[in-house]
Amino acid sequence: MTNSLLAPRAAPFDLPDFAAVTDAEFAPAFETALAEARAQIDAIAANPAPPDFANTIEALELSGRALSDVLSVFFLFASVDSTPEREALQRAFSPKLAEFSSDVVLNAALFARIDALWQGRAALDLTPEQARLLEVKHRDFIRAGAALAEEGRARLRAINTRLAELGTAFAQNLLADERDWTMLLAETDLDGLPGFVIEAARAAGAERDGAGPVVTLSRSLIVPFLQFSPRRDLRERAWRAWVARGARGGATDNRAIVAETLALRAERAAVLGFDSFAAGKLETEMAKTPQAVRDLLMAVWAPARARAEADAAILEAMLAADGHPAPLEPWDWRYYAEKRRMAEHDLDEAALKPFLQLDRMIEAAFDCAHRLFGLEFTPLDVTLHHPDARAWEVTREGRHMAVFIGDYFARPGKRSGAWCTALRAQQKLADEIRPHVLNVCNFSRPAEGRPAFLSWDDARTLFHEFGHALHQMLSDVTHESLSGTSVARDFVELPSQLYEHWLEVPEVLERFATHAETGAPMPADMLTRLLGAAKFDMGFQTVEFIASALVDLDFHEGPPPADPIQREAEVLQAIGMPRAIGMRHATPHFAHVFSGGGYAAGYYSYMWSEVMDADAFAAFDEAGDPFDPETARALEAHILSAGGTAEPDALYVAFRGRLPGIEALLKGRGLDAAA
């Protein structure tokens, strides 16, 4: 019987045959595809012909196609619908993939061919994109240890394999903690909660054992509960569970995993000749050095902390007025900040939410993409990986551009957070291949037959992830290794954070923020108040982010701490962390950094990109139109379609004419006047 994961895909879109996929197919498909990829690499390395760009670099680009197809489907299922069987497969696949990756980058014969091309590149008559790809490939092999002696290469193989195992274990432990914890609410515990929170709690309870409404550790449920529950005891219980993920003791505790991970990363950096893991990681980013990252974070930290401390004094007075003893605690902040927002901006989220329907916000994101880039979105009737998911064909002037898939609701077994991934990336080398792009979110599921409402933060998340999707959908390069989001980590968040700005364009909200029952547009005074409150509580938001970024940087900049939790506390004390604010991601559940190496020593990148996104949107302001066609064309040409075909600073300068300063970021966060 044919394995559906290895079978040719059906036209017109070549989507995976999700309806046919079974768990029993994953392991044999993986082993077959992995063996094929190994054979392809061996053939490239052993090719008796002299190395040239086609038989070495482009051959590498074309290798492993079947493996990529199998893994894109498997990791999708593992992340959005995890089961014990899939978790076991992930634990089995992870070290094998790490070993294969090491075998590729540490293959002496293969590197000799790449190095020969690099040394003789002046005579190769390469296009600019080909030259860039050769540079990136050679650099990546060097940075992976290809030029080391055998002893160093052998140690790197062992480190890479172990780090892959640890990252998988960290992610699965976190998922287990998030999946298994609930707080059952009695009917009296619902007093004071707005209807949308009650509805979400009932829906979450129905998804589980049906015993009644529950609070889960899904951000789209627990954060509103912390915002609105007048029960300080229940807020404390929920908040403590939220921050204890990965640190509850027992089989799912991540603290030992963190310590070993940091030690191995430091050793890996030393083997490769770097002063620290952060120094090695940042060498190829826009920031270049740990000190440049620290300078940015601390320049924003001072005004953000000042704003947060001033806000804390106001919130603590509100706490006292309610008859509660000081001090203000972390489980109090969101509750009193929401009361303050209501008092100062007359903005009631319960009244706001019916205007932020999920379907209408999706339409808004699509419409902005149409006005900026001419994209059209047509619903597709196809079977996907889960009944929650839905798909659209993306076209421009009749040309197929992409398939876009959205999977928006939280559910048991789904990894928390929001992300964008490509099941297939854009490229032209093998054929004119257009991408399959997926946005995953964790919004609260509505009751049966009811529309899904978003918070303002949820709506921003939707636009953020769609910005990443546009980076994939508008990609127009030849080589997959340079396509879409294959850019520096501190540049990859520019398109996503930039796209958030269009959510705040008044004409967008006037058209798409319509009431779920009446269809009426958001009242003008509510819209004014909503946009006027956009910078509200920015001290809190900035402090919780920078604290996480500084802890991440500290972990990777010096010797690895024997006790990371103690080191975390020392960093927070040294920077004067306000006691009523916690890190956005405490170490035991800091998945960005420890479920893989992507954001390790790189969590700062959101803020680095924010320096650019504020300045980039200012280009539209300067043009006098948030949908200015000429500026949109420049944005697409130099950033969204260009992928990693040039260094990110060169791409940004090509779009904007210069690199930005920090001023736009501070102004955008309302911190430019902070004491």
Side-chain angles (χ1 to χ4, degrees), residues 12-13 28 30 36 68 128 134 167 176 190 211 246 298 327 382 434 445 465 573 578 584 587 631:
F13 303 117
F30 172 76
E36 178 183 293
S68 295
L134 175 58
L190 303 176
M298 293 309 297
V382 293
R434 299 307 304 174
R445 184 186 302 279
E465 298 306 332
Q573 181 177 11
R584 184 169 179 83
T587 297
T631 308

Side-chain angles (χ1 to χ4, degrees), residues 311 368 556:
D311 290 342
C368 290
H556 294 99

Side-chain angles (χ1 to χ4, degrees), residues 74-123:
F74 171 72
F75 283 115
L76 172 59
F77 276 99
S79 61
V80 303
D81 193 14
S82 182
T83 64
E85 292 76 19
R86 290 168 184 169
E87 291 179 3
L89 287 170
Q90 193 171 2
R91 291 192 295 272
F93 293 172
S94 179
K96 292 181 179 181
L97 286 171
E99 290 165 7
F100 172 61
S101 178
S102 294
D103 288 344
V104 173
V105 295
L106 299 176
N107 185 312
L110 180 58
F111 176 65
R113 296 179 69 86
I114 295 171
D115 192 50
L117 292 172
W118 176 249
Q119 300 304 328
R121 62 192 180 278

Side-chain angles (χ1 to χ4, degrees), residues 354-402:
F355 291 96
L356 299 176
Q357 300 172 70
L358 171 61
D359 286 352
R360 294 293 279 155
M361 291 299 102
I362 293 172
E363 290 178 39
F366 288 176
D367 186 71
C368 290
H370 173 68
R371 295 180 66 182
L372 289 164
F373 310 114
L375 299 179
E376 302 276 359
F377 298 81
T378 304
L380 291 175
D381 184 13
V382 293
T383 300
L384 298 169
H385 60 278
H386 192 277
D388 283 350
R390 37 186 156 157
W392 295 262
E393 182 188 9
V394 186
T395 59
R396 179 157 62 183
E397 297 178 347
R399 178 196 174 201
H400 174 75
M401 296 292 290

